[in-house]
């Protein structure tokens, strides 16, 4: 029911499991929830994405079919029901004797042991149609395969249906059968005239079609799927304010301001020579070749700050 | 427990006989205990129109509190989008509440089934799903209309183009077409600006807004222009443009000739003040209220 | 710790006594049993009040429009897991019925009768009483949580029993809910008149009961006056 919002989340999603596991769980569930009388070989379940409805498969209750496998091979009977999850068909004359509990008895049933309809796979039946000759002789036409083409509105089914043609014989159409139970109106149905009556006409674009105060009920203004923008006030409220400076910090900053600014300049030639001399002096005094090799390698290494410092110097020169 | 059997004392004046019946139970083991008296609902009446009956399928006449699986009706299908799009706001509103009441009935039954540990509620839940679909579709249709309305507000260029085209055709219309063009103008002023065709239909709180003012200015200028084109002698003396709502309103309420005269009278008397923005809506509301009152009196 | 002096011990004893005396175990007016004379003297009405417990469904009888621990002790003598001794929480006791009788003797007799029947059900004839109750699947008195509806039903039955047994004519029963009085076949129409309490906020229950008491006292006084007038007239005659 609608208040149970988490039902699907906490149930095992059988359809999304791999085939072996799915079969295992289905067997387990069947064992737990079916009566012993209904256990037994059940036809394999088809995963949900691959299932086809009656219309997609081209079979409907009330249709005539020709049974091609099993005991009743060669007979033509009518279909009771098509089960998409097993791709199985309930047919009039294929039954098996079963022990049924009293709760499932129909009227006039006196015995527990009764003929119960049995599902047969759709592959073991072929669609058939009745053909009336000019002389009035009735014969059956069995279609190996069907093709669904065109589209027409069927008043009996109150919907748009495709036509069924025998494959490779496009002129032979097998029409849809009469639905077994006519659709009856019940207390919740609306009569056709009331439904088709047009009471809405767009007359003005100056007036909103929906009361403005109730617009929040149509749209969720707090939906997480919408791009949510903060107003300036909200942004200001959500971000922390700046901490005011303490007296010590102010004193420090004042002192920093008074200090002379650090200026990057190139070394003068004199200093460069001085440093060069000193290094040369040291390097020339070294005799060990290993030490020399090490110093060579060391001289090739670069300091990351060097680049930055050179850029600062360049900038400084530019400004000057 | 005292074994003394109290007897009602005789009043000195009243000649009441001593009561034969005792006023205390004797041996408690010999007292015949009575069965507990079960409360019954027959002691009070419940109106057949009590609002809580709305939670039952047949209301007052419901036979059971919980319908079985075969009693839940699943023969009908949901309303489709084309069918819902045909319906006005009031009809959709009605349909929403009808589905809501049905869902309430189903919800009560499912909740009751939960309490009774009765789990065969698949038919109820199937019907509830259908009703939820209908409700979602109603919401979707309303939202479509609202979104269309909001989008159309941004089509200002197209609206201006249409208004300009209409203006051209109106000004160039011949005498035989002018009647139909006036009718079209009435429809146009309602369609684009929300100006009601009939004075009695005005909702002064909601209808008087910026669109109304724009529409008023458009309509009055259009009518005046056509009049001045046809009557050049008046055009010489008449000063364009119309100065504010005070001068534009007569063109909406009366015929063009009368309106022109009225405007000229206003100009002469000096009452054609150009109102401040804040005064425009109150002025329109009061002026239209007066006009509506006058019309009602005329009818009477 | 210094030794307690005699005066200290005496003061302590006195304090404990005071605390015990001041301990509130319910409305003081409801303390102890009351005879007809006492009821009349205390300006109470010839009434019996039935209170139902919202938590357990048990019923408490009282001669005054209030209740005290004494009454709970008097009426719930054999507690067991199904019939626990209820607490004195005043928010859980709601008025179920106010029975106004013809005179004070009848009222006292009715109260005593009800208490005796309660004794019979709880002590003397426990098995018979349990047999009459509605059971759940396990054979225990039907319950939902700690609530047992049989207790209030039994109290109503006992009230009918007492009225019929003692033939207390001119009884007026004011029910908090007419539904509770059950089928009319249990009540004798000549002895009993049924009414409903006016709709009230449970917060104002005590005020309502007090007003009912005052009204009944007034009516009783008027009745006695008219009777006395009649007597005088008959005497004179």
């Amino acid at each position: 029911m609608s208040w149970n919002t988490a039902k699907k989340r906490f149930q095992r999603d059988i359809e999304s499991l791999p085939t072996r596991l799915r079969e295992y769980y289905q067997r387990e569930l069947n064992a737990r929830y079916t009566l012993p009388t209904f256990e037994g070989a059940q036809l394999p379940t088809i995963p949900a994405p691959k299932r086809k409805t009656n219309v997609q498969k081209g079979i409907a209750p009330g249709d005539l079919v020709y049974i091609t496998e099993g005991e009743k091979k060669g007979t033509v009977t009518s279909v009771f029901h098509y089960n998409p999850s097993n791709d199985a068909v309930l047919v009039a004359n294929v039954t098996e004797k079963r022990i049924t509990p009293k709760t499932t008895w129909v009227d006039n049933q006196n015995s527990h042991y009764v003929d119960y309809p049995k599902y047969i796979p759709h592959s073991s039946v072929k669609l058939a149609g009745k053909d009336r000759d000019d002389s009035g002789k009735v014969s059956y036409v069995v279609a190996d395969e069907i093709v669904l083409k065109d589209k027409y509105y069927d008043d009996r089914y109150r919907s748009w249906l495709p036509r069924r043609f025998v494959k490779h014989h496009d002129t032979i159409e097998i029409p849809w059968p009469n639905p077994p139970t006519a659709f009856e109106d019940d207390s919740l149905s609306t009569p056709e005239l009331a439904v088709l009556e047009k009471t809405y006409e767009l007359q003005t674009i100056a007036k909103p079609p929906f009361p403005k105060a109730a617009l929040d009920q149509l749209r969720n203004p707090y939906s997480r799927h919408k791009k949510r923008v903060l107003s300036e006030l909200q942004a200001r409220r959500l971000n922390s304010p700046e901490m005011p400076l303490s007296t010590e910090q102010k004193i420090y900053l004042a002192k920093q301001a008074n200090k002379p600014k650090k200026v990057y300049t190139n070394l003068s030639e004199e200093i460069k020579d001085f440093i060069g001399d000193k290094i040369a002096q040291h390097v020339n005094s070294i005799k060990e070749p290993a030490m020399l090799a090490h110093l060579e390698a060391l001289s090739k290494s670069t300091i990351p700050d060097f680049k930055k410092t050179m850029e600062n110097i360049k900038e400084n020169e530019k400004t000057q | 427990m005292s074994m003394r059997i109290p007897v009602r004392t005789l009043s000195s004046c009243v000649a009441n006989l001593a009561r034969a019946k005792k006023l205390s139970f004797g041996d408690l083991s010999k007292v015949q205990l009575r069965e507990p008296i079960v409360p019954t609902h027959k002691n009070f009446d419940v109106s057949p129109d009590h609002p809580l009956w709305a939670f039952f399928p047949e209301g007052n006449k419901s036979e059971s509190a919980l319908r079985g699986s075969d009693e839940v009706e699943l023969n009908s299908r949901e309303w489709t989008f084309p069918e819902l799009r045909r319906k006005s706001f009031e009809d959709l509103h009605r349909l929403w509440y009808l589905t809501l009441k049905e869902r309430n009935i189903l919800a009560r039954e499912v909740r009751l089934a939960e309490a009774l540990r009765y789990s065969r509620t698949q038919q109820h839940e199937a019907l509830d799903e259908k009703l939820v679909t209908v409700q979602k579709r109603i919401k979707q249709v309303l939202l479509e209309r609202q979104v269309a309305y909001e989008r159309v507000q941004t089509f200002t260029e197209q609206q201006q183009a249409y208004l300009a085209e209409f203006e051209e055709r109106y000004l160039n219309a011949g005498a035989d077409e002018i009647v139909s063009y006036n009718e079209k103008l009435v429809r146009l002023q309602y369609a684009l600006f929300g100006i009601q065709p009939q004075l009695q239909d005005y909702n002064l709180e909601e209808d008087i807004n910026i669109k109304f003012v724009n529409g008023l200015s458009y309509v009055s200028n259009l009518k005046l222009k056509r009049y001045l084109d046809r009557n050049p002698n008046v055009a010489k003396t008449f000063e364009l443009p119309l100065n504010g709502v005070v001068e534009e309103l007569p063109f909406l309420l009366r015929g063009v000739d009368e309106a022109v005269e009225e405007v000229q009278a206003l100009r002469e008397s000096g009452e054609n003040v150009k109102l401040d923005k804040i005064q425009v809506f109150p002025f329109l509301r009061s002026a239209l209220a007066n006009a509506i009152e006058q019309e009602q009196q005329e009818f009477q | 710790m210094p030794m307690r002096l005699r005066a200290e011990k005496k003061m302590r004893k006195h304090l404990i006594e005071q605390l015990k005396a001041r301990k509130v175990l319910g409305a003081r007016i409801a303390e102890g049993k009351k005879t007809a004379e006492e009821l009349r003297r205390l300006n109470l009405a010839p009434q019996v009040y039935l209170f139902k417990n919202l938590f357990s469904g048990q019923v408490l009888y009282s001669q005054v429009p209030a209740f005290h621990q004494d009454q709970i002790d008097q009426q719930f003598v054999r507690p067991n897991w199904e019939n626990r001794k209820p607490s004195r929480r005043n928010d859980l006791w709601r008025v179920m019925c106010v029975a106004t009788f013809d005179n004070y003797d009848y009222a006292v007799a009715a109260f005593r009768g009800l208490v005796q029947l309660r004794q019979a059900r709880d002590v003397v004839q426990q098995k018979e009483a349990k047999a009459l109750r509605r059971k759940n699947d396990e054979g225990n008195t039907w319950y939902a949580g700690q609530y047992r509806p049989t207790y209030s039903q039994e109290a109503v039955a006992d009230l009918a029993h007492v009225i019929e047994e003692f033939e207390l004519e001119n009884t007026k029963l004011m029910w908090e809910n007419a539904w509770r009085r059950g089928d009319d076949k249990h009540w004798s129409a000549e002895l009993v008149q049924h009414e409903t309490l006016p709709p009230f906020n449970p917060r104002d229950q005590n005020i309502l009961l007090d007003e009912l008491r005052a009204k009944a006292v007034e009516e009783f006084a008027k009745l006695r006056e008219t009777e006395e007038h009649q007597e005088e007239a008959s005497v004179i005659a």
Side-chain angles (χ1 to χ4, degrees), chain B residues 54-65:
Chain B
F55 285 91
F56 290 83
E58 284 114 47
N60 193 24
K61 313 239 180 325
S62 305
E63 292 292 320
S64 78

Side-chain angles (χ1 to χ4, degrees), chain A residues 303-320:
Chain A
I303 306 168
D305 267 349
F306 180 65
K307 201 175 166 190
K308 224 170 152 188
T309 317
M310 294 311 288
E311 279 173 17
N312 279 335
I313 294 170
K314 263 195 216 152
E315 266 187 53
N316 195 30
E317 279 177 3
K318 262 196 222 160
T319 52
Q320 282 171 358

Side-chain angles (χ1 to χ4, degrees), chain A residues 235-307:
Chain A
R236 260 191 282 132
R237 284 233 180 104
L238 285 169
N239 289 316
S240 60
E242 271 185 35
M243 187 68 165
L245 294 170
S246 64
T247 30
E248 286 85 2
Q249 284 173 322
K250 284 185 198 158
I251 293 166
Y252 174 78
L253 286 172
K255 282 194 183 158
Q256 291 289 83
N258 284 339
K259 278 191 209 165
K261 241 185 117 177
K262 186 171 184 178
V263 168
Y264 291 92
T265 45
N266 267 321
L267 292 171
S268 64
E269 294 297 325
E270 214 185 302
I271 299 176
K272 276 189 195 167
D273 289 336
F274 177 69
I275 295 171
D277 279 339
K278 278 279 178 185
I279 293 175
Q281 218 181 15
H282 176 74
V283 171
N284 291 336
S285 68
I286 295 173
K287 303 290 180 233
E288 300 92 291
M291 190 60 162
L292 285 170
H294 168 70
L295 285 176
E296 265 306 316
L298 207 60
S299 69
K300 292 215 178 75
S301 71
T302 51
I303 306 168
D305 267 349
F306 180 65
K307 201 175 166 190

Side-chain angles (χ1 to χ4, degrees), chain B residues 1 8 13-14 19 21-25 28-29 31-41 43-44, chain C residues 106 109 113 116-117 119 121 124-125 132 153-154 157 161 164-167 178-179 181-183 186 231:
Chain B
M1 267 302 143
R8 195 160 19 117
C13 303
V14 179
R19 220 160 158 270
K21 199 79 184 173
K22 57 181 172 64
L23 286 176
S24 174
F25 287 108
L28 283 181
S29 53
V31 169
Q32 181 72 11
L33 291 176
R34 292 204 182 176
E35 250 186 35
I37 294 178
V38 182
T40 170
H41 64 276
N43 288 345
F44 54 88
Chain C
Y106 281 13
Q116 282 180 323
L117 280 177
Q119 255 251 314
R121 281 191 198 267
V124 182
Q125 295 190 42
L132 291 169
Q153 292 169 9
E154 278 173 8
H161 189 168
E164 243 185 77
E165 184 82 14
F166 300 167
E167 285 174 16
W179 160 81
R181 73 164 191 264
D183 231 334
H186 301 295
E231 281 172 27

